[in-house]
Amino acid sequence: MNNLEQPAGISPATTARPGWRNFWSHPATGTWLPLVFYLVVAIIFSWPLALHLGDRVVLSESGDVWQHLWNTWWMRFSLLDLHTHPYTTPMLLHPVGANLFYHALDPMDGYLSIPAQLLFGVVASFNLVILFQLTVAGWGVYLLARYLTGNPSVSLVAGIIYACSPLESRLLNLGQLELTSIEWLPLYILCFLKTLNREARPWLWRVLSVVFLLVLSLDTWYYLLYAVIFSALFTLYKLFQERQEWRQKWPRTLALAIGVMAVYGVLVLPILLPTLREAGSSGATQPRFTVIYNSATLKGLFTTGPSALWGLFGSGDNPEYRGNFLGFIALGLGLLGLIVGFKKNWFWGGVALVFLVLALGLVLHVSFDPNWTPDAAEKGLPLPGSLIFKLPFGNIARVPLRYTLVTTLCLAVLAAYGLAWLLNFIKTRLKDRLKRPALLTWALPALAGLLVFLEFFPGPRTLADTTVPAFYSQIAKEGNWNDFAVLETPDSGSASIISKAMYYQSVSQHPMVGGYLSREPVYPFATYPGIRDLLQLDFCPTAKQCLYGRDILDRSQLKNAAGVLEFYKIRYVIVHPGLLKSQDSQFNANEVLQTVFGKDTKPVYQDGEVQVWRTPGFIESGNPPDPAKVLPQLGDGWGNREDTPNGPVRLVAAAARLELFNPYQQPLQVKLSFSKTQSTKGPTNLAPTLNGQALPARTVSPDLQTVELSLTLQPGLNDLTLKNDSPVYYGTIVISGQ
């Protein structure tokens, strides 16, 4: 049996000369020197990031990078400052805090960044982690390919194919640190292969297999899933290999595979169970359309994007290029490796195909249409992903095209086999003409590696400035971290500042209202009276919906929002005027701020990016509670405002909610009056409830009248529900003392 016919997982002898063999078999050169090579590759691939490690981040496709900078900071802050586990945080979604079990928290990279954070700061540590990821990703596949082929030069090319893949490049541009962390998967696969192949030092490979599974769990559950699927496929392949001696070998193989998974399963339970609970209770399921939209397409696998090589021929950004391009050079070498060594290499081709089918999602599409409708997206050949989608937790994975990561890894291994065969073929044909065969051993892989890199390299990265306004450093010195919170605005739709505000929190180190998490949490506080108005400063589609429009509520009562801020210890409202694009939204924002903080009040801080307003003292000690300080807000069930000769009214067809915020720390007695109220169909019964408790019923007649309710408001938010048997018009709402 020659070298190219060895069973998968067995390292054949190197084809290099004895001198080269000795050089590359030494741990300091054959194992660790490639790390230096891949570090250089990582620096060039992310260029010019290395020139701006402390003041820039890669950013060209989304604002997720700010969230991941926060993740990195939070891991250090939770461990070293709060001395607590990182899966819940009081720093977001003030005043209730946030559950982070189902958030893309990436604890592993956060912990790895802590030494660099302490030395260089959050931004530099974040960028150093990215360089680490790219470096170790290439190195891990190099070790795997070298183990399988025994050829270090072709294995270096395999590492480039994986570490510089278009998927990794796209994830880097998105700033998604937990997904750029592709380095642990090949290291796990290498250790799992050595475990089932019964290599020397068996306990080392078993322990490392478990360790790398845990590391994957602390990075992203997506890659853990990929590792588990690969493990199942390789176990089946190993059993197939051993079918002639199944009585002797199968029990041992199954015991090893199941043992690794069982030990890992026990160790991961403390974080797995809460994550599954959160996934099951937080609306984590994805619509079919979302999953189909984020699936790979056949055309996308062969569509070039920004490329230093194909850019010479006009290739650039296009909707079809979404990171699932396989690469023509890598694909050619991989197909060569599969064909010439099919008996040995079919497993890697089969795994590549399995993950490729999974990447295609629920329905087969030839090409991608960014303007798909849900109905149009469903038109296609159903794929196995449709069955997986129906399984428990099978519908929570949002982006199937990321399965191409494992396809790329398998392609890298096959490319190493193909390049090794090509080297051997050329040497055999030119044996009498080659004066220095060792030169070809490195020259051909060097050329192949360069072409692969140029095919995948998109050119210099777009970098974003990470300068933080000086105000955040100022408030970092104000008291302890939990003495007060801040509210950043606007926070609605495309105008949201919240993702970047999370990064700013790494400097201010005070809790904030809201937060940008992987899955949108249930957060009623964002709709509280006053809070909603301040968060949605930009919401003003028409003049009638702005603050200055007349309504059944006296909008000047919005000055009582200061009481809500004070009640929840929100000391500062930080406005980002640059996100208020239209004149209407700017006018509305100014009216809200002037109403809440006072007509003649000026921001306590202002620069080119932020305006900062400080919450004024609202509850005066020693004075009796004042019902005029209650802040009302219309909830669900109210019809549109209608202007009548008697003033504005709103129709309630059956039931409506009115929220009333009591800023005092004790119950407050008030009288609530609805003026100019009348039913539309004769006398009707009005059955009010306050915080779920029934109040005395009223009768509303067709004649204009004033309806009065006596209420005892509890501290904080109170929910008044009005239920009427037939439609009722309600006029101006007045709150007074009893």
Side-chain angles (χ1 to χ4, degrees), residues 612-678:
V612 182
W613 304 76
R614 180 166 180 142
T615 301
F618 189 75
I619 301 299
E620 300 172 355
S621 60
N623 290 342
D626 183 1
K629 291 184 179 292
V630 171
L631 178 59
Q633 176 175 271
L634 299 179
D636 302 328
W638 298 90
N640 293 330
R641 186 183 71 242
E642 300 179 27
D643 293 317
T644 72
N646 297 313
V649 296
R650 284 183 181 254
L651 181 68
V652 174
R657 293 175 51 248
L658 179 66
E659 297 171 337
L660 301 161
F661 194 90
N662 171 16
Y664 293 95
Q665 298 296 329
Q666 67 267 12
L668 179 64
Q669 305 288 330
V670 302
K671 181 173 69 176
L672 184 68
S673 302
F674 296 91
S675 66
K676 304 178 181 63
T677 300
Q678 61 182 148

Side-chain angles (χ1 to χ4, degrees), residues 7 39 42 44 48 136 197 215 284 312 353 385 422 467 483 521 543 570 660 694 721:
L39 175 59
I44 299 173
V136 178
N197 287 335
V215 169
L312 299 174
L353 182 61
L422 189 60
T467 302
D483 283 349
I570 301 171
L660 301 161
T721 301

Side-chain angles (χ1 to χ4, degrees), residues 61-76:
E61 295 191 43
S62 82
D64 286 355
V65 67
W66 309 115
Q67 177 199 76
H68 289 277
L69 281 162
W70 181 89
N71 290 344
T72 302
W73 164 79
W74 167 244
M75 295 307 299
R76 179 197 64 77

Side-chain angles (χ1 to χ4, degrees), residues 106-109 178 181 183-184 215-221:
D106 190 12
M108 189 66 216
D109 288 320
E178 95 283 10
S181 188
E183 71 273 23
W184 307 114
V215 169
L216 286 167
S217 302
L218 293 175
D219 262 330
T220 170
W221 295 107

Side-chain angles (χ1 to χ4, degrees), residues 418-438:
L419 194 55
W421 180 89
L422 189 60
L423 268 174
N424 190 52
F425 176 80
I426 294 175
K427 284 182 178 181
T428 302
R429 288 299 181 93
L430 303 178
K431 179 173 57 176
D432 298 332
R433 302 180 188 178
L434 290 175
K435 296 181 179 180
R436 301 179 64 184

Side-chain angles (χ1 to χ4, degrees), residues 68 87 99-109 177-181 184-185 210 212-230 261 264-279 284 355 393 396-399 402-403 405-406 518-519:
H68 289 277
Y87 288 99
N99 185 318
L100 302 179
F101 276 103
Y102 200 62
H103 171 60
L105 185 59
D106 190 12
M108 189 66 216
D109 288 320
L177 192 66
E178 95 283 10
L179 295 174
T180 56
S181 188
W184 307 114
L185 186 59
V210 173
F212 285 129
L213 283 175
L214 290 171
V215 169
L216 286 167
S217 302
L218 293 175
D219 262 330
T220 170
W221 295 107
Y222 284 114
Y223 297 165
L224 183 277
L225 173 63
Y226 302 171
V228 171
I229 295 174
F230 178 91
M261 292 299 166
Y264 159 74
V266 171
L267 295 176
V268 81
L269 275 180
I271 59 173
L272 178 61
L273 290 180
T275 301
L276 292 176
R277 277 198 301 268
E278 183 67 13
F355 278 87
F393 299 104
I396 62 177
R398 183 165 48 191
V399 189
R402 294 179 191 143
Y403 281 107
L405 177 67
V406 182
S518 300
R519 298 293 188 269

